[in-house]
Amino acid sequence: MSTSQGESPSPSQGLGQSHSRSQGQSQGHPQRWLILGVILLATLTVLIDNTVLNVAIPSLTEELDASTADIQWMINAYSLVQSGLLLTAGSAADRYGRKKMLATGLVLFGVGSVTAGLAQSATQLIAARAGMGVGGALLMTTTLAVVVQIFDETERVKAIGLWSTVNSLGFAAGPLLGGVMLEHFWWGAIFLINLPVAVLALVAVLKLVPESKNPQGDRPDLLGAVLSTIGMTAVVYAIISGPEHGWTSLQVLGSGAVGIAVLAAFVRWELSIEHPMLDMHFFRNERFVGAVAGAILVAFGMGGSLFLLTQHLQFVLGYEPLEAGLRIAPMALSVVALNLVGVGARIVGKVGTPAAIALGMTMLSAGLAAIALFGGGTDGGYGGMLLGLVVMGAGIAVAMPAMANAIMSAIPPEKAGVGAGVNGTLSEFGLGLGVAVLGAVLNSRFAALVSVAAASLPAALASAESAGERARITDAFASGLETSQLVGAIAVLLGGLLAAALLRRAERADSAVTVAA
């Protein structure tokens, strides 16, 4: 059956049953590398928008009068909506057409980018970012599906490796691109630059990408998507609001309780329907549980650390946006360089998945701790931060391939599409959770050290009556950054060791079953 017509192969066929393919299919699509370039460009744009906003925090604080909580929601609205819709977007693409959903995602992402770039208030920007998250969800699920569709088994590993490298580059390159744009333009330009990319990618997709779908696939679990998005949003809202309203306030406890209740309803709903968005029985598999824990915490460490680092470099050390982006770039360069030479995959093959995850997460934790302890505070140099960033990048390059391998190996081949959706969902949720939790730790520590009624550091400095008071406020903010980075380091380390232990135990159990058989 040709991939340019009607239905596509089933997931299990796509993962190795090449004998069922025709000779034409086994050679892949004739324009596959050109299509891959277009897909990688669209993917890069979506991923950059996860972190590009970090360096614009001072500009948004000043020009939109945004509080720290507003900034957190500007960042989290995108990742939370995207994470809530990834699984459903994948199901919709399988059922209604991957090319169709990819084009729809590009249109929604482009419209959302224009709306965000022209926003006049924090509320408008948050809403626009949520709309961009819908488009991003369609793009992230369908791009990988198209890669699998157009490449045969002999080239697919290389193609997915390039896709994974762009994922890492896109996440870490956001602050650098944002810094370049803010050096020459106003903050809205970091969103408007997406428009020509979206238009170019849309034209290329419509012209080059073959349509494929599986009409017999599972119907989209719309209620599951709504419940998961509402539940995660409510929980993160409680975390973000805690320092401002008090952890025992009705607003915080109420939103937290609603979030937990809705997530519980989501679990119950998924267990009761024939074709769930996320098969909850996967969580009986220790290998899957270990991989889930690790994937969330890798993203937690990356998202939270970038949120803190950009504020450290700009608010505390006084760097301009471009200077801050350039100083964060070594983490991106480390990830990309190590991924391109295949270090992570080789380590997994040599020491096994559990040990590779433990090593990668330990390095990520060590990098965070190095930044907290040797990052310079208010008057130190850049050397300690550089060391931490390089070590973090190396840890991410080792842990991410191992994590993806663990998730995919824990899910049956016929559910490979679900596995890819789970991986993306966990990453997006981890990013939002990292910003929320570590941002809450920062705000709590800052509020405990200074008794200034202000929603952000610039507002607190503006209310200071003397140079001595401004210095005390800046020192308190730096102390809050250090505390939150250390909390993130401890969480990543413990989570990584737990994930590795669960995976090791699952491997031993599988070996015992094999021996008995």
Side-chain angles (χ1 to χ4, degrees):
M1 186 182 299
S2 172
T3 53
S4 63
Q5 299 173 352
E7 301 180 11
S8 64
S10 69
S12 59
Q13 289 172 321
L15 288 176
Q17 296 181 10
S18 57
H19 61 275
S20 65
R21 296 171 179 263
S22 67
Q23 181 61 30
Q25 284 178 300
S26 66
Q27 295 173 351
H29 191 279
Q31 294 177 298
R32 57 194 177 280
W33 293 107
L34 179 60
I35 296 172
L36 178 63
V38 173
I39 286 173
L40 294 184
L41 181 62
T43 302
L44 184 63
T45 305
V46 173
L47 290 164
I48 281 175
D49 269 274
N50 273 312
T51 55
V52 71
L53 208 60
N54 285 285
V55 293
I57 290 174
S59 300
L60 294 170
T61 300
E62 179 180 348
E63 296 184 30
L64 294 184
D65 194 27
S67 67
T68 299
D70 289 334
I71 296 295
Q72 288 174 306
W73 274 111
M74 291 173 190
I75 296 172
N76 280 330
Y78 182 72
S79 59
L80 285 174
V81 169
Q82 194 174 126
S83 64
L85 294 176
L86 275 171
L87 293 173
T88 298
S91 297
D94 286 341
R95 185 171 184 82
Y96 301 115
R98 299 179 182 99
K99 177 178 180 177
K100 195 181 282 98
M101 290 298 106
L102 184 54
T104 302
L106 284 166
V107 170
L108 291 175
F109 189 77
V111 171
S113 297
V114 173
T115 306
L118 301 178
Q120 299 297 310
S121 68
T123 301
Q124 290 177 8
L125 182 53
I126 292 170
R129 290 276 290 171
M132 291 172 66
V134 178
L138 287 170
L139 287 173
M140 289 306 296
T141 52
T142 50
T143 51
L144 185 56
V146 170
V147 168
V148 173
Q149 168 202 349
I150 63 176
F151 284 92
D152 67 4
E153 287 79 4
T154 59
E155 293 180 324
R156 188 175 299 146
V157 173
K158 182 178 179 181
I160 292 179
L162 291 172
W163 187 87
S164 300
T165 300
V166 167
N167 272 257
S168 301
L169 175 63
F171 175 84
L176 178 58
L177 177 63
V180 172
M181 297 301 297
L182 291 172
E183 183 77 6
H184 302 286
F185 306 101
W186 95 111
W187 64 265
I190 64 178
F191 299 111
L192 295 181
I193 195 176
N194 294 336
L195 186 59
V197 176
V199 171
L200 174 63
L202 179 62
V203 172
V205 164
L206 294 176
K207 183 176 178 62
L208 298 173
V209 175
E211 181 61 284
S212 69
K213 58 183 176 179
N214 180 14
Q216 302 304 316
D218 300 343
R219 293 183 178 181
D221 179 12
L222 298 180
L223 180 57
V226 171
L227 290 174
S228 63
T229 303
I230 292 175
M232 288 190 293
T233 302
V235 169
V236 174
Y237 175 77
I239 296 172
I240 291 176
S241 304
E244 181 179 355
H245 300 288
W247 293 104
T248 58
S249 67
L250 180 62
Q251 183 171 346
V252 171
L253 293 178
S255 61
V258 168
I260 293 171
V262 172
L263 288 176
F266 167 72
V267 172
R268 185 168 183 176
W269 169 253
E270 297 299 288
L271 288 170
S272 67
I273 62 175
E274 184 179 359
H275 299 299
M277 184 172 73
L278 177 60
D279 189 346
M280 292 298 162
H281 295 97
F282 289 152
F283 289 94
R284 296 177 180 175
N285 185 323
E286 287 185 341
R287 181 178 299 177
F288 181 78
V289 172
V292 163
I296 290 176
L297 284 163
V298 167
F300 176 96
M302 292 169 67
S305 63
L306 279 182
F307 176 71
L308 299 174
L309 280 171
T310 50
Q311 295 188 71
H312 188 172
L313 287 165
Q314 294 182 82
F315 285 149
V316 177
L317 301 182
Y319 290 114
E320 295 298 320
L322 177 58
E323 296 173 325
L326 288 171
R327 281 164 176 78
I328 293 175
M331 183 173 73
L333 295 176
S334 298
V335 174
V336 173
L338 293 175
N339 274 337
L340 285 176
V341 299
V343 168
R346 285 202 294 270
I347 290 178
V348 171
K350 188 171 183 178
V351 303
T353 301
I357 288 176
L359 174 62
M361 298 287 273
T362 299
M363 294 174 71
L364 178 56
S365 173
L368 277 169
I371 292 171
L373 299 176
F374 311 116
T378 57
D379 55 3
Y382 175 66
M385 185 174 290
L386 175 61
L387 171 65
L389 289 169
V390 171
V391 174
M392 282 181 65
I396 292 166
V398 172
M400 286 187 71
M403 216 71 70
N405 176 67
I407 289 177
M408 298 308 292
S409 64
I411 292 178
E414 63 270 16
K415 295 285 187 179
V418 173
V422 168
N423 190 51
T425 299
L426 296 176
S427 296
E428 289 297 333
F429 182 59
L431 292 175
L433 198 61
V435 171
V437 173
L438 298 189
V441 174
L442 166 63
N443 289 342
S444 296
R445 178 64 174 164
F446 181 54
L449 293 175
V450 293
S451 56
V452 178
S456 64
L457 176 64
L461 292 173
S463 67
E465 298 179 354
S466 65
E469 186 176 356
R470 282 192 291 272
R472 184 172 60 84
I473 290 172
T474 302
D475 287 340
F477 191 79
S479 177
L481 285 169
E482 179 181 324
T483 300
S484 53
Q485 286 163 342
L486 288 174
V487 168
I490 293 170
V492 168
L493 177 61
L494 294 179
L497 295 178
L498 174 62
L502 289 172
L503 290 167
R504 177 70 71 190
R505 191 163 75 172
E507 286 188 355
R508 288 174 179 169
D510 290 344
S511 298
V513 170
T514 302
V515 171

